Amino acid sequence: MSNQSADAVFDALGEPVRRRILELLRDGPTPVGQLAERLPVGRPAVSKHLRVLSNAGLIEHRSAGTRNLYMLVPGGMASAQQWLTRTWDTVLAAYAAEVSQLGQASRPAPPPGAAARPAQAARPQEPSDRQPRSSP
């Protein structure tokens, strides 16, 4: 999906009343009058907000007799979600690279040849029969 589509979604979501309309529409198809009753703006303003949400591809309406019912569009947020995922993935990759680089810079360098020879486990020395014994 294009950034233009994501821009339209983010522009539509920039208004608190529009976000509230989307929250109300989660409950199912709703007529304008019912939405207006639950919002701090009048019915004409709700209609304008619904038009912006519809143009952004977030909602749709269908006629049921004399009423228009507004509902969420499945996948209407997909372009914004994809944009956020791409952006977040880029940020996380940069963070991981920085952490890795800092982690490597803070480790002391191994002595020359340390990687070439295997580490030997330290064993306690056992007394040898050849060592002189001290007398009591």
Side-chain angles (χ1 to χ4, degrees), residues 84-106:
L84 287 168
T85 300
R86 282 192 314 269
T87 302
W88 189 242
D89 286 349
T90 302
V91 169
L92 286 178
Y95 177 75
E98 185 70 20
V99 167
S100 177
Q101 185 178 7
L102 289 173
Q104 290 174 0
S106 66

Side-chain angles (χ1 to χ4, degrees), residues 13-26:
L13 295 175
E15 166 62 45
V17 172
R18 292 187 205 126
R19 291 193 305 270
R20 180 68 179 130
I21 289 171
L22 293 178
E23 290 172 2
L24 294 172
L25 291 177
R26 285 189 301 199

